[in-house]
Amino acid sequence: MRWQCRDRGFDLESRTVVMGILNVTPDSFSDGGRYAEPAAAIEHAQRLATEGAEILDLGAESTRPGSLPVPAAEQLRRLLPVITALAGDASLCLSVDTRDAEVAREAVAAGAAIVNDVSALGDPRMAEVVAKSGAGLVLMHMQGTPETMQKNPSYRDAPAEVTAWLADRMEHAVAAGIERERVALDIGIGFGKAIEHSLELVARLDELAALGRPVVVGASRKSFLGRILDLPVDQRVEAGLAVAAIAVDRGARIVRTHDVTATLRTVRIADAIAEARRVSARRRSA
Ligand code: HH2
C-alpha cells in the first residue's frame, strides 16, 4: 500500500510511519504555548525528526473540545515562519493540520506535502487546493464541530457509520481530482466520540482498513485515556502506546503522536509481530 504526498511516496505495506505532532498554538490541550515561538517550534520539530518521526504535523488551531476557529491570517502568522524554515530540509515531510483551504494553500506553497483536514474537506474550497497541489490528504471523521462535539455524541454503530462516512468523503475527494493513492483515513478519536465510541472504533479498525487506504490513528494523550485511568495529560504515554499497538495490529499504518521515541519502539514491535503472522500463515499454507 502506497501513500503519495507530492514527490514523496510512503510504502506502508508492512511498515508503520510515526507522525510527530507540533502545535504552534497558545492553547492546545497537551503542548499549547510550548512551541508558539518559531525558534522553539523549529527546535522541537528537529528533535521529533531525530527521534524518528517521518512526518511532522504542524497545527496552528487547537481543535480540542470547546475550541473556536482561528482566522486564516492568524494560523498563517503562526505557521509560515516554521514551515519556511523546515522546508529547506528535504529529509522532513511536513503536514499541515488545518480545516481552512487558504491556510492549506499557503502552507503547501511554503513546502508542506500533506494536508491533514479534521473536517474531511468541510471547507468547499479545500478539495481544489489539495487536487492542484499534489499533496497527500488525511480525511478525518468528526461528529459536530470542536465547539460542541463532545456534548452528546451519539451513534447506532460507530465503526460502521464512521467507515461509511469516510468512504463517502474519499469518493468526494476522488471525484474532485484527488487521486485515491493520495488519501489516508482517520477515525478521529475524541472528535464527537464518547469513551465507548473511541474504544469500539479502535477495536474494529480493521473495517476501515478494509477500504484499502492507509489508516491514521491519533490517541496520543487524549482525554478518554485519562478518564479510563484517572490520569492527567502528562501521564498518559503508556495508555497511548497501548492504543497504538492495538491499532497497528488492526491495520493502522500512520500513528500521530506527541511521544515519538516511545511510539516508534511500540509500532516497530507491532510491525514485527505482523510480519511473524504473515510468515506463519505462508508456512502453514505451503
Ligand atoms: N487530533 C488532534 C488534532 N488533529 N488530526 C488527525 N488526523 N487525527 C487526530 O486524531 C487529531 C488531528 C487533536 O490533538 P492535538 O493536536 O494534540 O490537540 P489540539 O487540537 O488541542 O491542538
Side-chain angles (χ1 to χ4, degrees):
M1 181 192 303
R2 203 177 158 75
W3 189 28
Q4 195 63 42
C5 306
R6 296 181 85 177
D7 58 356
R8 189 166 317 223
F10 291 94
D11 176 5
L12 300 168
E13 201 51 52
S14 56
R15 203 174 73 83
T16 305
V17 162
V18 171
M19 176 189 247
I21 302 170
L22 176 57
N23 287 315
V24 291
T25 57
D27 56 347
S28 287
F29 82 94
S30 165
D31 55 357
R34 292 179 62 185
Y35 311 114
E37 287 301 318
I42 292 161
E43 194 192 324
H44 189 60
Q46 283 157 346
R47 190 176 324 131
L48 295 178
T50 306
E51 289 179 11
E54 289 180 60
I55 300 167
L56 299 174
D57 190 36
L58 279 75
E61 173 188 64
S62 172
T63 46
R64 71 190 186 289
S67 60
L68 294 170
V70 174
E74 176 59 16
Q75 288 190 50
L76 288 168
R77 189 191 67 75
R78 297 173 182 176
L79 282 170
L80 286 181
V82 183
I83 295 180
T84 307
L86 297 173
D89 183 342
S91 70
L92 302 178
C93 180
L94 305 179
S95 161
V96 61
D97 182 352
T98 190
R99 301 179 272 172
D100 190 301
E102 188 187 335
V103 176
R105 183 174 49 240
E106 296 297 319
V108 171
I114 296 168
V115 176
N116 172 22
D117 182 358
V118 301
S119 74
L121 306 178
D123 181 335
R125 304 164 301 166
M126 185 65 102
E128 191 187 347
V129 168
V130 177
K132 280 189 179 151
S133 69
L137 172 67
V138 180
L139 293 172
M140 197 200 77
H141 176 271
M142 166 162 49
Q143 188 178 84
T145 63
E147 200 182 347
T148 58
M149 64 193 180
Q150 288 305 90
K151 292 219 165 109
N152 192 19
S154 143
Y155 300 83
R156 201 179 20 79
D157 180 338
E161 287 168 48
V162 168
T163 298
W165 189 86
L166 285 171
D168 188 62
R169 296 315 288 164
M170 176 158 66
E171 294 317 316
H172 173 70
V174 170
I178 301 167
E179 292 83 2
R180 205 173 290 275
E181 70 166 7
R182 289 205 267 141
V183 178
L185 305 170
D186 188 338
I187 53 177
I189 291 179
F191 285 83
K193 277 121 196 156
I195 297 175
E196 61 270 23
H197 301 136
S198 292
L199 295 174
E200 200 182 0
L201 280 158
V202 175
R204 288 171 51 193
L205 204 62
D206 50 321
E207 295 175 27
L208 181 61
L211 294 180
R213 296 308 307 148
V215 169
V216 182
V217 165
S220 183
R221 303 184 188 172
K222 283 189 176 167
S223 66
F224 80 113
L225 305 172
R227 290 215 199 95
I228 293 171
L229 295 176
D230 191 20
L231 286 173
V233 69
D234 61 348
Q235 291 178 45
R236 298 176 187 163
V237 176
E238 300 87 347
L241 299 178
V243 176
I246 291 168
V248 172
D249 193 58
R250 301 279 183 278
R253 284 292 169 269
I254 299 140
V255 178
R256 182 180 181 277
T257 182
H258 300 89
D259 304 297
V260 170
T261 299
T263 302
L264 191 67
R265 290 173 183 168
T266 302
V267 303
R268 284 292 163 269
I269 298 300
D271 287 346
I273 292 171
E275 176 60 17
R277 186 189 288 128
R278 282 190 289 273
V279 170
S280 186
R282 277 199 296 273
R283 196 183 53 234
R284 288 171 72 185
S285 68

